[in-house]
Amino acid sequence: MTNHDSGDSRSSIRIDREILTEHDFKSKYGYVASSGLSLKDQILKVITPEETSRVKFIKNFLFGVIPILRWLPRYKLKKWLLADIISGLTIGIMQIPQGMSYALLAGQHPIHGLYNAFLPVILYTILGTSRHTSMGTFALTSLMLGNAMAGLAPDPVEQTESSWSEVYERRIQLATAIMFISGIFLFGLSIIRVGAVVKYLSDPMISGFTFGAAIHIVVSQFKSLVGVRTGSYAGPLNIIWILRDLFLALANLDEAGKTKTIATAIISAICILFLVTLKELNLKYKEKIPLGLPIPGEMLVVIIGTAVSYGVDLSGRYGVSIIGEIPSGIPAPKAPAFNEMPSLVGYAIPIAIVGYSVSVSVAKIFGNKFGYEIDANQELVAYGVSNTICSFFSCFIAFPSMSRSCVQVESGGKTQVVGLVASLIILLVLLAIGPLFSSIPRACLAAIICAAMKGMLKRALDLKVLWKVSKLDFACWIVAAMGTIFLDAVYGLVVGVSFTLMTIVFRTQIFPKESLSRVGDTEMYRKTSEYSDQQPVESTIRIAAFRGPMHYVNKDTFRETVKKVSGVDPIVEFAKRRKAEKKKAKGEKEMQKEAMGGMIITNGAISTSFTHSTAGDLSNDNVGNVTLPVEDICKDLDYLVVDCAQMSFMDSVGAKVIATVTDDYQKINVTILLASCSGDINNMLSLSGYFEKFGNDRSFISVHDAVSYCRNKIKTHDLNSVTAELNEETTTTFMK
């Protein structure tokens, strides 16, 4: 019975009930076993519609696969349209320089970045569930694609427009094939409904990977920032070879090269300084800017850079590299290179995983902020279909960008209509304005990329917090970052994920072997010496806490925990018992020989093999030592209670180990009791035959119940011992 005392400012709890084992608890309160579905029933439950109406099922299916059918009829024109149009204009303008810049990062002609900002955006608007992510070119996936292109289709030896055209033609063939594979892979994952795979990528790992990728991105743009050539490298240590080529190129410049490098470096420095300063001003004076819209620094760099380059003739007078011819219009559909796809799978799948994982993480952040759900599996459909279809339209891998998504939120975007408005801006550029940007210096686009990396580079600030909170998370960040920097993005991802999964294994195996004591006059038990007011239990009762899952990997950890807390190794103690019993038997045999004058009757024959050495050994050995009573071997421990409250699950090996350990201690007269086991743990123990072998009084609903049970048993045993002694004394007195 529970009473609440309202006389005090704090409520109190008084409980008066009998000691309950799990078996008693279930019997008393009517436990109803859950009827688990068979594998066949589980499959049918997934594939069979619950709705009795087939029309309703089809409607819900279409609304689930094509989310625009659900949200567009509910669109609030007066409340959202103006904000979406303004945000769409902002994102559309931002897509132009970013699309061209990230296309260069991906090793493609800048026009393909504009293609990425058009059709993939429309498809995601129709199929996606995030209202605030901006689909198109993405820095991380562009970097990974660019690294692949460096190995598959290196830069041309001769820096002519025709040679670059051939390289770009080859690269887009490979890029569309990689895009197609990535799309099919993501769509395939959506069919088997594994959208939650992103949960295996921890935030510290993603942060470290992002920082490492940002370092790669900045280094890859050095050649464009200073106007020199470097080799095309991919794989481990490629960043080292790029820096080596950069320093060698700068050290061996001729007069024309110096002129080009100085002019290019000045342009880059001015653009980066302008972009970084303007971004800080946008943040500082955000509330004072009309409509709260940030000034589009990237677009200003493109417009001013193009105008200055064309007016001054930077290419002709100073040798500054420019983009060159930009075609107008939308490309005709063209099938990707299917014959080359088998050799490109190794590039496509890591890019797809990184793009999906980061994009869904960003989408969930905005979803939680604005109070709507992100369907991770539907995001797989959106990314998969977008990349598969767009691979036929000269696009490369497309995912939402973190920087543009943040701008979309800051500019007041409400729904996916922002993407449609931005697409119209890009369409206008493709049809009419695009060729005007042919004179823009490559240094301007490289500066835009480097300035955009500021936020990703600031991920290094996470280290200070991680060091205070968790050393393992700190290590995950470092490993992911260093792996990405020195081993390339793909290998860095693999190393980061592998190390993160290893830390999970460490966390489930390496935990403290705790001994518990009762806190004050409560029924709570906490780590011994953790509280000043702790009541030690009887010396013959000890309490151990096992803070992890009970499976085959942790079986030795469980044994060590029990051994450390109990202070007894049952294997060693049992061996001592056997040795003591043998000595006892041997002593009795020697005493019998001595009593019979050295004669032993064996199988009816009399032997006189009693020797002096044997007698001497016996004389040196105290008979009292060899007749050690069995109960004296472990006389300081009667009960060991194991707190299983934090035992998340148990497999068959774990159940077997618990039974083995229980049996080992039982052989030395120590009883092991389990406390606070979950229903699943008790069920596994029951199925393994644990309770059938040891009885139903081995699992209790709480540690306090188990300890109280032990105390009652000890009191009963002591009372029986006293009664027996009194009876013996009474009998002796009577006989006298």
Side-chain angles (χ1 to χ4, degrees):
M1 180 176 65
T2 303
N3 297 323
H4 298 276
D5 187 0
S6 59
D8 191 0
S9 59
R10 293 173 297 177
S11 298
S12 62
I13 299 176
R14 295 187 180 91
I15 301 175
D16 182 13
R17 61 168 174 80
E18 60 184 330
I19 298 171
L20 293 172
T21 65
E22 286 288 347
H23 180 266
D24 296 336
F25 187 75
K26 291 178 180 179
S27 301
K28 183 172 183 178
Y29 296 105
Y31 172 73
V32 180
S34 58
S35 56
L37 296 176
S38 65
L39 179 61
K40 178 182 177 182
D41 292 336
Q42 292 179 29
I43 295 174
L44 290 175
K45 184 177 180 180
V46 173
I47 65 177
T48 303
E50 296 182 0
E51 295 86 353
T52 56
S53 169
R54 190 172 298 274
V55 174
K56 186 177 180 181
F57 168 71
I58 294 174
K59 179 182 177 181
N60 288 340
F61 175 78
L62 290 175
F63 280 11
V65 175
I66 310 176
I68 194 172
L69 298 177
R70 185 183 298 274
W71 62 262
L72 190 58
R74 304 174 183 174
Y75 188 83
K76 301 176 181 179
L77 285 172
K78 294 182 179 179
K79 190 174 182 180
W80 294 342
L81 184 59
L82 180 59
D84 281 347
I85 290 176
I86 294 173
S87 180
L89 292 172
T90 304
I91 297 301
I93 293 172
M94 188 177 181
Q95 282 268 34
I96 299 169
Q98 268 203 0
M100 292 191 293
S101 302
Y102 290 167
L104 288 178
L105 181 61
Q108 308 299 320
H109 190 282
I111 190 62
H112 297 290
L114 297 181
Y115 298 156
N116 267 35
F118 178 59
L119 189 55
V121 177
I122 295 176
L123 290 174
Y124 182 80
T125 300
I126 296 171
L127 301 173
T129 59
S130 175
R131 304 174 191 172
H132 296 92
T133 53
S134 176
M135 186 69 167
T137 52
F138 179 33
L140 289 181
T141 53
S142 296
L143 169 69
M144 296 175 74
L145 182 61
N147 288 341
M149 294 300 105
L152 296 170
D155 292 350
V157 177
E158 305 225 349
Q159 299 291 303
T160 62
E161 192 168 336
S162 60
S163 60
W164 270 110
S165 297
E166 292 178 4
V167 170
Y168 281 143
E169 181 65 27
R170 174 62 178 159
R171 287 181 176 179
I172 196 59
Q173 289 177 355
L174 297 171
T176 53
I178 290 175
M179 188 181 196
F180 181 85
I181 297 170
S182 299
I184 292 297
F185 173 72
L186 293 173
F187 187 72
L189 291 181
S190 73
I191 293 176
I192 58 177
R193 306 190 69 82
V194 291
V197 69
V198 65
K199 66 186 178 183
Y200 294 105
L201 305 181
S202 68
D203 289 344
M205 194 281 295
I206 288 291
S207 178
F209 173 78
T210 302
F211 175 82
I215 295 293
H216 262 286
I217 291 170
V218 172
V219 170
S220 70
Q221 298 305 303
F222 280 171
K223 61 181 180 181
S224 297
L225 291 174
V226 297
V228 298
R229 289 186 57 200
T230 61
S232 298
Y233 301 101
L237 300 181
N238 68 82
I239 195 171
I240 303 297
W241 312 136
I242 292 174
L243 290 173
R244 180 201 62 182
D245 286 3
L246 181 69
F247 292 139
L248 290 176
L250 290 174
N252 296 289
L253 290 173
D254 55 17
E255 289 302 320
K258 290 180 181 179
T259 301
K260 176 182 177 181
T261 298
I262 293 173
T264 305
I266 292 174
I267 293 170
S268 302
I270 292 174
C271 291
I272 292 176
L273 183 62
F274 172 76
L275 289 169
V276 172
T277 304
L278 186 59
K279 188 170 184 178
E280 292 298 323
L281 292 175
N282 278 334
L283 292 174
K284 186 175 182 180
Y285 299 104
K286 178 182 176 181
E287 297 180 356
K288 298 182 179 180
I289 298 175
L291 300 177
L293 300 179
I295 300 173
E298 293 90 346
M299 195 65 217
L300 291 176
V301 166
V302 169
I303 294 173
I304 297 173
T306 302
V308 172
S309 176
Y310 180 79
V312 180
D313 190 16
L314 293 177
S315 177
R317 294 178 62 181
Y318 302 102
V320 174
S321 298
I322 61 174
I323 293 300
E325 182 183 357
I326 296 180
S328 61
I330 300 174
K334 182 181 179 181
F338 293 108
N339 59 318
E340 300 198 46
M341 288 183 183
S343 62
L344 300 175
V345 172
Y347 299 101
I349 291 180
I351 293 176
I353 292 175
V354 170
Y356 169 72
S357 302
V358 177
S359 299
V360 169
S361 300
V362 172
K364 286 188 174 182
I365 291 173
F366 291 134
N368 293 334
K369 180 178 180 180
F370 294 99
Y372 62 89
E373 289 288 332
I374 296 296
D375 186 341
N377 206 69
Q378 180 59 29
E379 291 296 290
L380 279 174
V381 175
Y383 302 144
V385 172
S386 297
N387 282 282
T388 302
I389 293 178
C390 294
S391 65
F392 290 85
F393 292 90
S394 299
C395 296
F396 59 91
I397 196 78
F399 283 102
S401 164
M402 291 186 289
S403 58
R404 285 197 313 275
S405 298
C406 291
V407 171
Q408 182 168 327
V409 171
E410 293 170 0
S411 60
K414 304 296 182 183
T415 69
Q416 293 92 320
V417 171
V418 172
L420 296 177
V421 176
S423 298
L424 293 177
I425 302 296
I426 300 300
L427 179 61
L428 178 63
V429 173
L430 288 172
L431 295 178
I433 304 176
L436 299 178
F437 295 125
S438 60
S439 298
I440 184 173
R442 289 175 178 265
C444 292
L445 299 181
I448 291 173
I449 294 174
C450 292
M453 292 303 104
K454 179 185 175 183
M456 295 171 66
L457 292 173
K458 288 176 69 175
R459 295 296 184 96
L461 299 177
D462 294 347
L463 284 174
K464 184 177 180 181
V465 177
L466 291 175
W467 180 258
K468 292 181 179 179
V469 175
S470 171
K471 301 300 187 292
L472 278 178
D473 286 341
F474 178 89
C476 287
W477 196 102
I478 293 293
V479 170
M482 294 299 102
T484 303
I485 292 172
F486 294 107
L487 299 179
D488 203 358
V490 175
Y491 297 112
L493 177 67
V494 173
V495 170
V497 172
S498 300
F499 186 81
T500 302
L501 293 178
M502 285 176 59
T503 62
I504 296 176
V505 175
F506 294 154
R507 284 172 169 141
T508 59
Q509 291 185 69
I510 302 175
F511 41 84
K513 301 173 178 63
E514 296 181 359
S515 174
L516 305 184
S517 298
R518 185 180 177 185
V519 180
D521 59 351
T522 71
E523 77 285 1
M524 301 300 177
Y525 291 78
R526 295 293 185 267
K527 184 178 178 181
T528 302
S529 74
E530 196 171 53
Y531 291 84
S532 58
D533 185 9
Q534 282 190 325
Q535 294 184 8
V537 296
E538 284 78 354
S539 61
T540 56
I541 304 174
R542 291 173 195 168
I543 310 167
F546 189 73
R547 307 300 192 195
M550 189 60 210
H551 49 62
Y552 71 97
V553 178
N554 280 345
K555 59 183 180 181
D556 292 332
T557 306
F558 179 81
R559 292 179 187 272
E560 291 299 322
T561 300
V562 173
K563 188 191 303 182
K564 178 180 179 181
V565 174
S566 67
V568 177
D569 186 339
I571 306 299
V572 175
E573 295 298 333
F574 187 67
K576 289 181 181 178
R577 171 195 290 188
R578 297 295 298 271
K579 185 176 181 180
E581 288 176 345
K582 288 181 180 179
K583 285 186 177 181
K584 178 181 177 182
K586 182 179 179 181
E588 291 176 349
K589 188 175 181 180
E590 298 294 347
M591 291 172 64
Q592 183 184 14
K593 285 173 59 179
E594 185 178 9
M596 297 180 64
M599 295 183 295
I600 302 175
I601 301 176
T602 305
N603 295 328
I606 299 177
S607 173
T608 57
S609 58
F610 183 67
T611 63
H612 175 74
S613 61
T614 306
D617 290 342
L618 185 62
S619 65
N620 292 330
D621 198 356
N622 192 321
V623 176
N625 291 335
V626 301
T627 57
L628 182 66
V630 171
E631 58 270 16
D632 287 344
I633 296 175
C634 190
K635 61 184 179 181
D636 60 340
L637 179 63
D638 290 328
Y639 293 95
L640 176 64
V641 179
V642 181
D643 180 13
C644 304
Q646 296 185 32
M647 192 180 289
S648 56
F649 76 94
M650 178 188 295
D651 63 4
S652 59
V653 177
K656 183 179 179 180
V657 169
I658 289 182
T660 302
V661 172
T662 302
D663 189 54
D664 289 342
Y665 276 87
Q666 188 165 278
K667 289 177 181 178
I668 60 172
N669 298 328
V670 176
T671 302
I672 287 186
L673 303 178
L674 308 178
S676 303
C677 296
S678 66
D680 292 337
I681 299 295
N682 277 306
N683 186 50
M684 177 60 73
L685 291 171
S686 179
L687 292 174
S688 67
Y690 181 84
F691 298 121
E692 183 179 352
K693 180 177 181 180
F694 298 105
N696 292 321
D697 59 345
R698 291 302 182 104
S699 180
F700 290 80
I701 64 172
S702 71
V703 174
H704 195 58
D705 283 77
V707 173
S708 299
Y709 171 85
C710 297
R711 286 172 170 167
N712 289 344
K713 284 289 186 180
I714 292 172
K715 289 178 181 178
T716 302
H717 179 269
D718 292 343
L719 181 61
N720 291 338
S721 298
V722 171
T723 303
E725 290 177 2
L726 290 174
N727 289 337
E728 184 178 354
E729 291 178 2
T730 303
T731 302
T732 303
T733 304
F734 178 76
M735 291 296 293
K736 289 181 178 179

